[in-house]
Amino acid sequence: MLDIEGHTSSDGGFNVNMKLSNDRAQTVKNYLVVKGVDPLRLSSQGFGPTKPLNEGKTEQERALNRRVELKLRNN
């Protein structure tokens, strides 16, 4: 199983960031499905700004928080 996690910086409203992070993760999932990956082997979820990599004090730090992470797990 591959978990696809979308993240955002803390810029903007919380609800907007949650939708954006979900959309980000779903876009990656859709891409992988188009490339032939079985959708039953994929999950996608958005976390918005709730799991930052850093404090987001500078534009460079905020840019690093805007990401998609792929996490492989065994079920």
Side-chain angles (χ1 to χ4, degrees):
M1 178 68 95
L2 182 66
D3 294 329
I4 305 164
E5 300 181 353
H7 302 273
T8 66
S9 67
S10 60
D11 291 345
F14 182 79
N15 290 336
V16 171
N17 280 331
M18 291 304 292
K19 181 179 179 337
L20 176 60
S21 64
N22 275 312
D23 291 348
R24 227 172 238 167
Q26 187 62 47
T27 297
V28 172
K29 181 179 178 179
N30 292 344
Y31 173 82
L32 293 172
V33 169
V34 166
K35 293 296 183 180
V37 178
D38 181 353
L40 296 176
R41 300 182 69 198
L42 303 172
S43 72
S44 66
Q45 184 176 0
F47 291 95
T50 64
K51 294 185 174 184
L53 293 175
N54 54 60
E55 295 181 18
K57 291 184 177 181
T58 66
E59 181 53 40
Q60 184 178 13
E61 285 183 347
R62 288 187 293 275
L64 290 173
N65 287 330
R66 298 178 196 116
R67 68 196 188 280
V68 173
E69 294 183 357
L70 304 178
K71 296 186 176 181
L72 188 60
R73 65 181 162 97
N74 293 325
N75 286 44

